[in-house]
């Protein structure tokens, strides 16, 4: 934001998010304020994940959609493009969650402010190096974030 860029893009640096899909995300910004690289849109997929990880991801996204009313299919995706105005409109210092939960909270706040969102299909390939950040603690934080944001939604 400090550099004045029109778009801010987030992605995994381990090539789980294919850099070749960046132009598709930027192109989607023609009609949107937030573009999500989606594993769960027609044409999207996940490669090399165990079934347990797929179930966890699908479940987290289903809960976010139902409990928080989120319209996106892939609420936990980290491959995103935001307009500068979107991030400038958010009280980023008040985002309380971390990790994957932060992605859900950002989407929740964007939708609450009426920003237009779209999803671009991507093929997500599990990391070749390093370890996943999903731990039991991360799952607990995710549940807490859903509860906290759900209370905010229903107030």
């Amino acid at each position: 934001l400090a550099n004045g860029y029109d778009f801010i893009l987030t992605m995994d640096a381990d090539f789980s998010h294919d850099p070749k899909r960046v132009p598709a995300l930027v192109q989607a910004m023609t009609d949107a304020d937030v573009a999500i690289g989606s594993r769960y849109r027609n044409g999207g997929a996940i490669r090399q994940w165990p079934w347990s990880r797929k179930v966890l991801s699908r479940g987290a996204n289903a809960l976010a959609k139902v409990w928080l009313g989120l319209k996106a299919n892939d609420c936990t995706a980290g491959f995103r493009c935001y307009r500068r105005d979107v991030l400038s409109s958010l009280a980023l210092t008040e985002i309380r969650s971390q990790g994957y939960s932060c992605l859900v909270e950002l989407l929740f706040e964007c939708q609450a402010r009426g920003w237009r969102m779209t999803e671009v299909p991507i093929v997500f390939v599990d990391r070749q190096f390093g370890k996943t950040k999903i731990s039991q603690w991360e799952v607990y934080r995710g549940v807490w974030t859903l509860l906290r944001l759900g209370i905010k939604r229903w107030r």
Side-chain angles (χ1 to χ4, degrees), residues 10 14 16 29 31 34 41 43 46 51 54 71 75-76 88 91 97 101 112-113 122-123 127 130 133 137 147 151:
T10 62
D14 62 5
S16 294
M29 299 302 283
D31 299 314
V34 179
R41 177 156 180 215
I46 298 172
W51 68 269
K54 289 180 182 180
K71 295 175 184 158
C75 304
T76 59
S88 294
S97 52
S101 301
R113 286 168 177 72
I122 64 161
V123 175
R127 70 188 76 236
K133 294 178 289 261
W137 177 245
L147 289 172
I151 291 167

Side-chain angles (χ1 to χ4, degrees), residues 121-140:
I122 64 161
V123 175
F124 181 90
V125 180
D126 198 16
R127 70 188 76 236
Q128 299 298 310
F129 304 100
K131 292 184 175 184
T132 181
K133 294 178 289 261
I134 289 290
S135 64
Q136 191 170 0
W137 177 245
E138 183 69 31
V139 173
Y140 292 144

Side-chain angles (χ1 to χ4, degrees), residues 31-56:
D31 299 314
D33 302 305
V34 179
I36 302 165
S38 178
R39 302 161 288 186
Y40 301 127
R41 177 156 180 215
N42 288 341
I46 298 172
R47 300 256 162 42
Q48 302 169 345
W49 262 10
W51 68 269
S52 58
R53 183 78 189 271
K54 289 180 182 180
V55 168
L56 179 63

